[in-house]
Amino acid sequence: MNSAGELRRTSKSIALPAPHPFRRTDLKAVFLDIDGVLNSTSRWDHLPSGEGKIDPKALVRVRRICEETGAKIVVSSSWRGSGRENQMLARMRRLFIKHGWQQAFAHLIVVGVTPNLNPGRDRRRNEIAQWLKEHREATSFVILDDANNMAGLSDRLVQTRRRFGLKDRHVERAIKILGRATARECPGS
């Protein structure tokens, strides 16, 4: 750890910012894609119609990850839209509230969106890396996504399949990567 802001290396080739020596809390982040994670092609016709088709079972699974690890959600999906970060964040919170999360929980847990960068093969990976670079408080993270182009971040990727979405086995792997929460990390504490 150093106060000069140098990057530290973790396994594989991901670089996280060096922790700030006076920070009160650290952040565990869940980078959340939606298509192929919170919905799936096999369930699409069974989901309620309208904007924002999300499988309620998958949303319960994401909530479990957050509750058991103390992690917060950073939306990395193209569903976040465009505009200023606070507008995108509000849009995603409304979506989760619409699908059954209490307002207070959604505001406590959904804490960020990745930046919109130029299109390209590694766009999502680059957006996540940029968010990590800008948020030194992130000390651990997992990526829930159906894409596999996460070079340098693949040891943190829990890859789902577009056809089936987020399943219990993915939840267990995400919890293992992030680690169980301590009392001070639990939502609402």
Side-chain angles (χ1 to χ4, degrees):
M1 171 172 30
N2 71 44
S3 58
E6 293 178 14
L7 295 177
R8 69 181 192 277
R9 296 277 175 202
T10 62
S11 65
K12 306 246 175 169
S13 62
I14 179 60
L16 292 174
H20 190 279
F22 303 112
R23 185 176 50 245
R24 290 178 46 190
T25 61
D26 295 328
L27 172 70
K28 292 179 180 181
V30 175
F31 289 97
L32 181 63
D33 182 26
I34 294 181
D35 287 329
V37 178
L38 292 185
N39 61 39
S40 60
T41 57
S42 66
R43 299 244 329 126
W44 188 259
D45 292 336
H46 305 288
L47 297 176
S49 62
E51 182 184 348
K53 283 191 167 197
I54 291 182
D55 183 347
K57 291 179 182 178
L59 201 55
V60 166
R61 289 179 178 113
V62 169
R63 184 174 180 142
R64 180 175 161 223
I65 293 168
C66 294
E67 289 176 339
E68 291 195 24
T69 65
K72 310 294 185 188
I73 294 172
V74 178
V75 179
S76 57
S77 173
S78 60
W79 281 41
R80 68 190 184 279
S82 60
R84 292 191 317 239
E85 182 176 1
N86 62 341
Q87 293 170 324
M88 293 185 288
L89 189 55
R91 182 180 305 119
M92 296 314 305
R93 286 176 176 154
R94 282 192 306 271
L95 181 65
F96 293 145
I97 291 166
K98 173 184 171 186
H99 288 280
W101 282 13
Q102 294 176 344
Q103 184 172 354
F105 185 79
H107 283 268
L108 179 68
I109 295 300
V110 184
V111 298
V113 294
T114 55
N116 276 315
L117 300 179
N118 293 327
R121 176 172 141 54
D122 296 328
R123 177 181 181 173
R124 177 97 21 100
R125 179 242 177 261
N126 293 339
E127 290 170 344
I128 291 170
Q130 181 66 35
W131 192 93
L132 287 167
K133 183 178 177 183
E134 294 172 2
H135 292 84
R136 295 174 47 124
E137 68 274 18
T139 56
S140 181
F141 67 95
V142 68
I143 303 166
L144 301 178
D145 206 311
D146 62 325
N148 66 357
N149 55 339
M150 299 290 171
L153 303 175
S154 58
D155 60 329
R156 298 296 180 144
L157 173 64
V158 175
Q159 187 177 6
T160 62
R161 291 182 58 199
R162 181 173 287 276
R163 182 169 180 207
F164 302 109
L166 187 67
K167 297 295 180 194
D168 290 333
R169 69 180 178 276
H170 301 121
V171 171
E172 294 304 324
R173 183 153 182 261
I175 291 170
K176 184 176 180 181
I177 289 171
L178 290 168
R180 302 262 177 205
T182 63
R184 75 177 179 88
E185 293 173 323
C186 291
S189 61

